[in-house]
Structures are given as structure tokens and as C-alpha cells.
């Protein structure tokens, strides 16, 4: 990918990421898909274009079903509904993804956490039935939150402690973008964009031989207003922020949907958004959420310690 490390010191931008390529994008074949509660756009050219787009669409729908916790027949739902401590065979793909999520949780000291499912439901963010839970309700749920309540068993089985449930929403689109990249590569695609709603992967450069332009939305202004534009080739870009999905309570208080695993409440920090750029979509998705939870100082300390990715932060100070 195009190196953007120098931007860290000088840019405190942000927003959801969109991709644009001028006239090049108009010459490409494209499809639009609705899955994972968002509109997704895929564009490609070069190689087996039609076959690539068809395979990518099928894969998105498959992952939407496989990773959903609201579909009763998914492996995630079966795991969540099993009695505490009961091993459930979730298959190799899901077990591996859960294992990666646990690694991200350990690396971020719990800032990334897939066990917030019951807490998210208590706020109504999963079901879109928004409410503010009582402190006593959260006090009963929080002891079941944490990676230590998820156990990788023998083979392809996973078990959860009593009261623990998982939600892969903070990592699913990142994993899906990795799968899109693999499908494009299998079909010889040389130029393309995969936009999964805040999760973008750009393949090669545009048809003029230049890097793709990735616009970073300004979270303090209306949709479409950009804080800046980056250039990238063969890179994943993911943005997390609380400005696009939130709940306004009857008393006027605004609660955004990204929750702090330590408190069970929506994150309150000095960040409006975090954008991650790297060569792995799953990692970018997980880290964008985790660093948003950490706040600006924590995010910068994590970047200095771990490296391996680029980040752009937009703070409440602009």
C-alpha cells in the first residue's frame, strides 16, 4: 500500500471512507448489494470481471448469513443459545475468526470485544429499539463481558460461559473485505473498489495508472463533506465513529452505538472517528473500533507500540 505514516503527525482528520476514481470508475463493471445492514458497492475490471463480481456477491450473502447473530439458523446464534459451557461445533471458518477476535482483544487490552452482544441489545442498538438501560441492568450484564468468557475447544468447537454472547459486527465487514480481495485476486482483477460501507478495499490503481483516491468524511459536517483525500493502492481502509449511528433520548442526550466494554456505556472520548489503513481488512476493522474506544492518547500509544498500520484520528477539537 502507499505509505501514509507521515500523515499521522500532521493530520487529525476522519470520517467514513468512500472511494472514487474519476472517469476510471465509470468504465468499470459494478454491482450493488444490500447486506450486513448496509449498501455495498463493488467495481472491477480486468481479468474475469463478471465471474468475480458474481462470486463476490454470493460470498457477501453467505457471510451475512453465517456471521449474523440475529439469524436463528446461523452458527453464531447456535453458539449464543447453547447452555453455558457447552461446546458447539461452529466450523473452521467461524472458529478461526473468533480466535482472531480474541487475539485482537488481547492486543488492545479488551478495547476490542465481541462479547458485548447482550449489552448492545440492552441499548437496543442490535434490534433498533433504542432505550437507555438502568445501571442495575448493566451491572448484571457486565460480569459476562470479556474475552475470558470465550473458550476455544478441540477441533472446531467453541463454548461460552453462562450469560455470555458474541457479536461479530465489529469485525464481519473487515473479514468480508478480505474475502473480496481473495476473490478478485483469484479472478485476475487488476483494478477495482470494494466499498462495504465504512470498509473499503482498493485493488491496484485506477485506469489512468494512478492510486485510488479515498475520501475521509468530516464527522462534524453533513454527509459527503470531506476532511481530506488520501491516495492508496492495494490497501484496506476502515473508519469507525459514533456520528452515523446514534440514539437521541427523550431528554435530548445523544448516545452513539460504539460501547466501552469496561462501562457498558457508549464511548465518551476526545475522538470523533478513527481511520485505519493497512494490508488486512479484518485487522483494520478491529483496530478502528478498538482505537476509537481508547481515545486519542491511547490510540497513538498503541500505534507507536504495535505499528503495522497507518491511522488518522479526528478529535473533538477538529
Amino acid at each position: 500500500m502507499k505509505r501514509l505514516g507521515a500523515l499521522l503527525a500532521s493530520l487529525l482528520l476522519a470520517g467514513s471512507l468512500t472511494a472514487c476514481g474519476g472517469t476510471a470508475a465509470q468504465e468499470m463493471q459494478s454491482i450493488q448489494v444490500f447486506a450486513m445492514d448496509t449498501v455495498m458497492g463493488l467495481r472491477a475490471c480486468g481479468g474475469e470481471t463478471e465471474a468475480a463480481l458474481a462470486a463476490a456477491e454470493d460470498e457477501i450473502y453467505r457471510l451475512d448469513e453465517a456471521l449474523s447473530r440475529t439469524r436463528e439458523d446461523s452458527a453464531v446464534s447456535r453458539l449464543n443459545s447453547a447452555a453455558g459451557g457447552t461446546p458447539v461445533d461452529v466450523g473452521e471458518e467461524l472458529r478461526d475468526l473468533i480466535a482472531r477476535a480474541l487475539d485482537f482483544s488481547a492486543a488492545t487490552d479488551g478495547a476490542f470485544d465481541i462479547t458485548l452482544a447482550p449489552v448492545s441489545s440492552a441499548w437496543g442498538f442490535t434490534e433498533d429499539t433504542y432505550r437507555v438501560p438502568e445501571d442495575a441492568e448493566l451491572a448484571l450484564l457486565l460480569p459476562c463481558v470479556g474475552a475470558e468468557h470465550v473458550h476455544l475447544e478441540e477441533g472446531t468447537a467453541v463454548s461460552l460461559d453462562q450469560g455470555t454472547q458474541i457479536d461479530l459486527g465489529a469485525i464481519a465487514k473487515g473479514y468480508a473485505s478480505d474475502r473480496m480481495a481473495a476473490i478478485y485476486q483469484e479472478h485476475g482483477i487488476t483494478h477495482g473498489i470494494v466499498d462495504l460501507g465504512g470498509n473499503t478495499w482498493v485493488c491496484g490503481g485506477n485506469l489512468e495508472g494512478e492510486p485510488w483516491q479515498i475520501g475521509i468524511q468530516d464527522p462534524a459536517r453533513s454527509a459527503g463533506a470531506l476532511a481530506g483525500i488520501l491516495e492508496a493502492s492495494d490497501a484496506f481502509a476502515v473508519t469507525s465513529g459514533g456520528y452515523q449511528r446514534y440514539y437521541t433520548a427523550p431528554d435530548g442526550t445523544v448516545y452513539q452505538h460504539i460501547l466501552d466494554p469496561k462501562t457498558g456505556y457508549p464511548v465518551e472520548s476526545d475522538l470523533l472517528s478513527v481511520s485505519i489503513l493497512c494490508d488486512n481488512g479484518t485487522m483494520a476493522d478491529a483496530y478502528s473500533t478498538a482505537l476509537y474506544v481508547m481515545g486519542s492518547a491511547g490510540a497513538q500509544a498503541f500505534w507507536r507500540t504495535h505499528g503495522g498500520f497507518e491511522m488518522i484520528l479526528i478529535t473533538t477539537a477538529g
Side-chain angles (χ1 to χ4, degrees), residues 245-304:
R245 188 180 178 192
Y246 53 86
Y247 162 58
T248 304
D251 65 0
T253 303
V254 176
Y255 298 95
Q256 53 99 351
H257 75 286
I258 301 178
L259 302 176
D260 186 334
K262 295 180 179 179
T263 67
Y265 273 84
V267 172
E268 294 185 7
S269 77
D270 60 345
L271 289 178
L272 293 179
S273 72
V274 173
S275 298
I276 302 294
L277 294 97
C278 65
D279 59 2
N280 185 280
T282 307
M283 183 180 79
D285 207 2
Y287 281 0
S288 67
T289 299
L291 272 58
Y292 180 80
V293 172
M294 293 178 189
S296 178
Q300 293 180 63
F302 184 87
W303 180 83
R304 293 189 184 100

Side-chain angles (χ1 to χ4, degrees), residues 200-214:
T200 302
W201 174 65
V202 289
C203 173
N206 64 28
L207 295 186
E208 283 80 29
E210 300 173 347
W212 290 106
Q213 294 183 330
I214 301 177

Side-chain angles (χ1 to χ4, degrees), residues 6-71:
L7 291 174
L8 179 66
S10 59
L11 295 183
L12 293 176
L13 305 179
S16 82
L17 291 152
T18 58
C20 48
T23 57
Q26 299 174 7
E27 300 172 16
M28 293 186 167
Q29 295 188 43
S30 63
I31 61 172
Q32 194 172 77
V33 178
F34 183 81
M36 300 182 183
D37 295 323
T38 192
V39 176
M40 302 178 173
L42 288 78
R43 288 177 276 177
C45 73
E48 303 168 340
T49 306
E50 292 185 6
L53 292 175
E57 181 177 11
D58 289 345
E59 181 69 353
I60 287 174
Y61 288 136
R62 183 188 73 82
L63 291 174
D64 191 18
E65 294 181 0
L67 303 181
S68 171
R69 80 174 180 97
T70 59
R71 293 177 181 266

Side-chain angles (χ1 to χ4, degrees), residues 59 62-63 93 174-184 186:
E59 181 69 353
R62 183 188 73 82
L63 291 174
E93 179 180 48
Y175 177 68
S177 68
D178 281 327
R179 290 293 305 128
M180 298 301 99
I183 289 172
Y184 272 38
E186 289 168 5

Side-chain angles (χ1 to χ4, degrees), residues 112-156:
F112 178 79
D113 198 319
I114 60 173
T115 66
L116 278 166
V119 180
S120 181
S121 289
W123 283 92
F125 288 123
T126 303
E127 296 79 9
D128 292 331
T129 54
Y130 304 124
R131 56 185 285 266
V132 180
E134 298 289 339
D135 288 344
E137 182 179 359
L138 293 178
L140 291 175
L141 297 175
L142 283 175
C144 301
V145 171
E148 69 272 15
H149 299 295
V150 182
H151 308 284
L152 303 177
E153 310 288 355
E154 293 186 8
T156 56

